[in-house]
Structure formats: C-alpha cells, structure tokens
Amino acid sequence: MTTPPPRLLPNGDTAITVEFGRDISDESNRRVLALDRRLKQSPVAGIVETVPTYRSLLVHYDPETVGFGALSDQLVSLAQAPDDDATIAGRRWRIPVCYGGEHGIDLEDAARALNITPDALAARHAAGDYRVAMIGFTPGWSYLSGLDPALAMPRRQAPRLHTPAGTISVGGIQAGIQCLAGPSGWHLLGRTPVRTYQLHREPIFLLEPGDAISFAQIDAEEFADREDAASHGEIVADLLSA
Amino acid sequence: MTSLVIDSVGPATSVQDGGRHGAQRYGLPPSGAMDRLSLAAANVLVGNNAFAAAIELGPLGAKLSVRDGAVRLALTGAERPAAIDGAPLAFNESFTLTDGQILTVGVARGGVFSYLGIEGGVRGEPMFGSLAVNARAGLGSPYPRPFQAGDTIAVKCAARAVERRLDLPGQQDTPIRVVLGPQDDEFGDAVETLLSGAWTVSATSDRMGYRLDGPQISHLHGHNIVSDGTVDGSIQVPGSGQPIVLMPDRGTSGGYPKIATVISADLGRLAQRQPGRPFRFGAVSVEDAQGAYRAMARLIRSLPDRLRDAQHATIDLDALLTANVAGTAIDALTAE
C-alpha cells in the first residue's frame, strides 16, 4: 500500500516537523509512532531527540552533523517505508480513577450538558479504550485518543488557573491525564492517584506514547490509600501487558 | 568543603547549563541558559567546559560570599555594576573571591541576564545530564527552584591565582533573524506584519516565553491547531494576535500556530533584549540559519584560544565613579 508523503516543515535551524495530517486521526498518530519507532531502531546521524504528537513527529537535530535537505530526504523515505506492523504494540495499563465530588468538580455540569447522569458519564468515560497519543505541554501530561465521541465537549470558556495533580479530564474530543498541578481549560471529571511523572521513582516517566489505557473506578477511600502509596514511590497503576 | 553562599538575591536567578535533552517526548522542556554564548564565556574564563552549570543572574542584583576557602569566578552577559568589598570588577574577566569578601552585583543595564561562572562548576545531581533549574517541573540542582537568600553551593577551591580575560566580538544591533514556519501558511499576508513591524519585549516575559508588543498578527483560519511540538525560538500567535517567542522553559507542545522560529544564533540576543527597546525581525533561509549556527558553534569552540592574561591595572576610575556601583546594588536588593 502506498501512503501519501508527509509534509516536512522547518522549525528554525535545529528541528523538522514531519506532518502526517492536520487533524486528530488514529491513522496519522499511527504513522507518527511508526516513524518514531523506526528512528529508534535505526538511528539517523545527527538526530538529537524526537517528540511524537497526535499528527506529527518533531525531530530535533544537530545542523553541524546533517543539513535540512539531507535529513528531510531520509525522513520522507523512512516515513514511506512499508509498515512491518499494523499497529504500534504498546503496553496496556489500567489506571484507577475516583470520579466526581471534590475529585471531579465538573462531572455534574458536564453530565448535565450531555443530558446523562453523572454516574453514566463516569461509567462511559471509564469504559473507553484509550491510547496515549502524545505526552507534552508539561511533564507527564498524557493526551489520550479513543474518547467516545458522544462524550466530547468544548473547552471551558475561562480556563482554571489551578487544577490538581492527577486530574482526569476531557477537552474537545481529547481525554487527558494531567500529572502536575497547573492551569487547564478542560472539564475535570475525576482524579487518579497515579503519577505519570515522579522524580526519584523508577521509572520517572510511567507512560510512553503508544501505550493503551483503560480506567477503573475507585471510591474516595481507595483513592486516599493509593494516593498515600503513590507518594511513597509506588506506581499504583496495573500493568496488564508489557 | 568550600561553599559559595547566596546572601541576598532578586527573582529569576538560577543554575543553568547547556540544557536537558532526551525527555521532551515526556513533556520535559530542555531549560538551560537563555544566552548560551554568555554562558560559554563565563565557563571558559574559569577553565570549565563551555556548557557547564553556572549561575544565571536575573535582571536584579545579588550579594554573594564564600566560606572555607576561595573560589574563582567570572561575570559575563548583561553588563551591570559589580564589586568585591566595594572595589569594582570588570566583566569578561576572571577573579577570585576569598573567605570574608562580599561580591555585590547590581541591576542589569545592557541586557537582562548575566552569568557567573564558577571554577569547577556547580556540584549537584544531574537529571538527563543537566543541573538546569526548571521550577515548574521541580527540577534542577542543588535547588530545584530559583535561588533564595541563604542558599549555598558546594564549590571547588580556587587553583592557581592567574586571572584571565576574554575579548568577545561586538554584537551588532541587526534584525533578529527568523526562519518562516512551521505554520506560516496559517497567516497569509500577516507574515509581512511580523517582518515589517517594530517589536518590543513585554515586561511580563520570563524563561518560558517572551511576549511581544507591536502590531496585531491576524490568523487566516482561527487560532487553534491540533497541538504539535515546539522548539526554543518558536513564535506562536495566540488568539490575541500578540506573538510569544518560546524560550527554554517552554511547554514542549502547543496548540497555537507558529508563524516563524527565531534562529539559534540570534536567540540569546533576543533573550537579552530589555523591555521597551524596539527591534525588528528579518527572514532567512534554513540554509543561512544553519550557516549562522555553525559560525556560532565555531566561535564557542574558539573561546579558549581567545583567553588572555588579565591586566587589573587598567580599570577606568572615571567610568567607575559614574557607575555608582554601591548605590545601584542597594536599590536592586531592596526592590526584591
């Protein structure tokens, strides 16, 4: 099967965006992760690091080793190589979430907007089959694909300046796991005790782009227990397959 | 153990180095010095690797002293009054601070960030090969935050007392060069607004981003794109039409279109731009930008060959009295 070539876009003198699409699509993300994996398997001289996103791979490189033109040619040819795997085999994780109440202050409003009960919204969100499409913005902030389109909702008019660490939220057709406390314009449905980024823990970063994610509902008491365990460096997420 | 003590300090002063690479895919920005050439000069003057960790001084002042020994230091970057026990110090020249002496640095005048190189570097625990402070991610060493009064840094005791001087080529006040893209097609004719406008750095800028004041840049199709990766120097344009140049503590991805990217060789010059001083952008090709990158890399590699023995006798007393060193320094410290 032949695939359309990606667009190669310069980011100044030290990076190239390899763009597979302009919208959120599983197909574009699959091609991003496939190119990322190929570059890991057969490193190209001059590449410093890569940053996979929903629809593009950002390739940071050293212009003293390779120029824009030569690297672009190599990236196009690698991006169009036939796929060896139909899917990107990532790990599968089950992430515990406490929905609603103080842990998910937008659950009720979001359910009202969708014309379903808060319990139904929590159950449908938890039932989804998600994949980590990209990690970005702040350390460990994991953007998930796979949200039930019926649960999509526009971002809040005014972003909140402070949202808690571990927030599980929805913004547009994206779902997310936020690791650090910070600003967010998304709807806060719940919280997880899992830290996707934790210094002095092995591994420091729990999730990789391409990992599959499902959610398990827990109550506030269990949240408190697991939060305590997580604060002592435990992972508190279940690794279902490696 | 010899230590360098921060007796008092303004905001935005932190340990920075060549940056942290390999974890942007997990959302960890590279951080590192805002002005890499000045960082390299500070390090080379005290015999370190060009991108070793040094103290990046924010626009206000600081007071430092040394305990249990002597330490060799050098100041580079934005010029500002500096003195040891009231005796003025030259920039781009190493000096030794001994037990009981007080180093005072005042408010930056010719730029924003100055660099204090420390012989032997900063002792700390690197993460992803870097000690650079990123306060938001709680990263950096020996303190994962900007400095506060009372902080101490373990240092190497100064070796032989031979001070060095470094003559750097003067910088011209030419336009800040950019490469258009990656989303310049989201702007159409508004690309000309970026290139023809007179811009100033807003006072609300920081190590994450420099907000620019100037003409409004309009989008062709709205201001939302599906998030993709960013680099140091990305010029993103949010809904307000006011561009923001992303700096080393940036988010690693973003959802605003990026009209252009400031080239690596000119990013330090932009970082040193004081609020209110107008400048312009000029577009260059990727190839020209990479030529400038290589020239900058060659200059940094050549710094050790440019070292000369310092001649302390040449301090200009008139310039010194005009500088009003002590007065400015005290203002800086009370403004904290």
Side-chain angles (χ1 to χ4, degrees), chain B residues 84-149:
Chain B
I84 293 180
D85 290 345
L89 280 172
F91 265 60
N92 301 322
E93 200 164 295
S94 72
F95 58 90
T96 302
L97 189 67
T98 60
D99 212 333
Q101 290 185 319
I102 308 264
L103 167 64
T104 312
V105 292
V107 177
R109 290 185 307 217
V112 180
F113 295 101
S114 307
Y115 293 84
L116 183 66
I118 305 170
E119 185 181 29
V122 174
R123 294 204 190 151
E125 273 184 68
M127 186 188 170
F128 289 96
S130 168
L131 299 176
V133 169
N134 175 349
R136 198 163 54 142
L139 277 184
S141 188
Y143 300 96
R145 51 161 174 77
F147 281 116
Q148 298 169 1

Side-chain angles (χ1 to χ4, degrees), chain A residues 84-242:
Chain A
D84 29 19
D85 280 315
T87 56
I88 303 304
R91 299 166 298 174
R92 295 196 73 83
W93 295 95
R94 188 164 55 209
I95 307 275
V97 181
C98 181
Y99 286 93
E102 61 172 308
H103 296 302
I105 57 174
D106 292 328
L107 184 72
E108 289 199 14
D109 284 349
R112 201 171 302 124
L114 296 170
N115 206 19
I116 55 177
T117 65
D119 283 351
L121 173 52
R124 283 175 72 174
H125 181 273
D129 189 12
Y130 299 95
R131 203 180 61 220
V132 179
M134 63 180 274
I135 302 173
F137 185 51
T138 57
W141 217 120
S142 304
Y143 293 81
L144 309 180
S145 60
L147 180 73
D148 179 344
L151 302 186
M153 53 193 106
R155 285 170 206 181
R156 289 170 49 83
Q157 282 291 341
R160 287 196 174 87
L161 292 178
H162 302 285
T163 60
T167 291
I168 299 293
S169 58
V170 167
I173 62 163
Q174 303 168 56
I177 306 171
Q178 173 185 335
C179 184
L180 302 179
S184 171
W186 292 23
H187 302 271
L188 318 184
L189 304 187
R191 270 184 85 190
T192 178
V194 173
R195 280 125 159 109
T196 53
Y197 162 64
Q198 190 169 13
L199 280 174
H200 313 299
R201 180 193 66 190
E202 193 51 46
I204 292 171
F205 296 102
L206 192 65
L207 305 178
E208 288 283 340
D211 282 1
I213 303 289
S214 57
F215 293 115
Q217 291 201 52
I218 58 172
D219 60 21
E221 197 179 332
E222 195 174 351
F223 177 89
D225 287 349
R226 295 215 196 180
E227 172 84 350
D228 184 56
S231 73
H232 292 94
E234 284 186 40
I235 285 174
V236 308
D238 302 316
L239 180 59
L240 302 179
S241 71

Side-chain angles (χ1 to χ4, degrees), chain A residues 7 9-15 17 19 22-24 36 40 48-56 58 60-64 66-68 134-141 143 155 180 197 199-200 204-205 207-209, chain B residues 20-29 125 127-128 136-139 179-183 185-186 224-231 234 250-253 258 261-265 286-287 289-290 293-294 297-298 301:
Chain A
R7 295 207 308 161
L9 309 170
N11 286 252
D13 43 75
T14 63
T17 297
E19 185 184 82
R22 307 198 87 162
D23 302 316
I24 291 179
D36 186 46
K40 205 173 286 176
V48 178
E49 62 181 307
T50 56
V51 184
T53 74
Y54 278 111
R55 60 195 184 90
S56 61
L58 181 63
H60 293 269
Y61 66 101
D62 171 13
E64 286 204 288
V66 64
F68 178 81
M134 63 180 274
I135 302 173
F137 185 51
T138 57
W141 217 120
Y143 293 81
R155 285 170 206 181
L180 302 179
Y197 162 64
L199 280 174
H200 313 299
I204 292 171
F205 296 102
L207 305 178
E208 288 283 340
Chain B
R20 181 175 282 119
H21 300 285
Q24 293 194 61
R25 60 192 293 107
Y26 303 114
L28 206 59
E125 273 184 68
M127 186 188 170
F128 289 96
R136 198 163 54 142
L139 277 184
V179 173
L180 295 181
Q183 282 101 28
D185 56 350
E186 293 279 338
N224 279 294
I225 58 168
V226 175
S227 296
D228 76 345
T230 65
V231 302
S234 291
R250 65 192 152 80
T252 53
S253 61
K258 297 171 286 292
T261 312
V262 175
I263 74 169
S264 308
V286 180
E287 289 71 23
Q290 296 191 328
Y293 178 101
R294 289 189 288 268
R298 277 196 302 275
R301 279 195 295 269

